[in-house]
Amino acid sequence: MNIGEASEASGVSSKMIRYYEEIGLVRPAHRTASNYRVYGEDEVHRLRFVRRARSLGFSLEETEQLLTLWADKARTSAEVKKLALDHIAELEEKIAGLQAMVGTLRQLADCCHGDERPNCPILADLSGGKTAREPEASSPRALRRVAGRA
């Protein structure tokens, strides 16, 4: 099948297939005499694997490690599980960071009157300053406390 068909069958765009080939994540497709890429079921299966790993947030490096483990029939499942658990820890750290951002932004939005006045604790916080009319709760230190980052 050609790259368009491989793209449709795998769910990976043609552009990403070319990129993955360029960086060595997937083997370059066989070429016809007229230099067209030709993909088989093995290549499509590998592309599906890459798409799924990437959809779960694995980095390109982690995806490459997973592909190596997948191809290694002598691997232990413990190696794969360690990669997955490490990735879970990274995701949980990102989630905690995003939750802290939500808390900070919610506090800033709560402190903003949202009226016709120019004073805005949101902009004051972003600029690193504080105006005299803004409540103490909108200070960066107070906001970090509210967000659990004291």
Side-chain angles (χ1 to χ4, degrees):
M1 67 183 81
N2 66 30
I3 194 167
E5 293 165 332
S7 172
E8 188 173 321
S10 67
V12 178
S13 72
S14 298
K15 182 177 180 178
M16 288 308 295
I17 292 172
R18 288 184 194 97
Y19 175 68
Y20 292 153
E21 287 178 0
E22 182 182 315
I23 64 171
L25 189 62
V26 296
R27 292 181 298 269
H30 301 290
R31 299 271 185 165
T32 64
S34 53
N35 209 27
Y36 286 101
R37 290 175 170 89
V38 178
Y39 297 86
E41 283 304 314
D42 288 344
E43 290 87 1
V44 169
H45 194 77
R46 189 171 173 94
L47 287 167
R48 284 187 192 123
F49 184 102
V50 170
R51 185 201 63 207
R52 179 69 173 141
R54 298 290 288 148
S55 76
L56 291 172
F58 285 101
S59 68
L60 289 172
E61 181 181 298
E62 292 166 330
T63 300
E64 186 172 21
Q65 292 171 340
L66 288 166
L67 281 167
T68 300
L69 288 168
W70 183 44
D72 181 4
K73 302 305 177 203
R75 71 175 178 279
T76 64
S77 62
E79 294 173 276
V80 181
K81 184 174 182 175
K82 182 182 179 337
L83 271 174
L85 291 174
D86 289 348
H87 186 59
I88 289 168
E90 290 172 17
L91 290 173
E92 288 174 338
E93 189 175 312
K94 286 180 184 179
I95 290 167
L98 290 171
Q99 288 173 332
M101 283 187 236
V102 166
T104 299
L105 287 170
R106 184 169 282 124
Q107 179 67 28
L108 285 169
D110 288 347
C111 292
C112 182
H113 296 286
D115 56 17
E116 301 299 319
R117 295 182 296 179
N119 291 345
C120 179
I122 299 168
L123 294 176
D125 182 81
L126 292 173
S127 71
K130 180 183 164 211
T131 64
R133 296 183 191 190
E134 294 169 11
E136 179 60 31
S138 67
S139 73
R141 178 174 289 161
L143 290 172
R144 281 193 297 276
R145 251 194 324 272
V146 169
R149 297 185 289 152

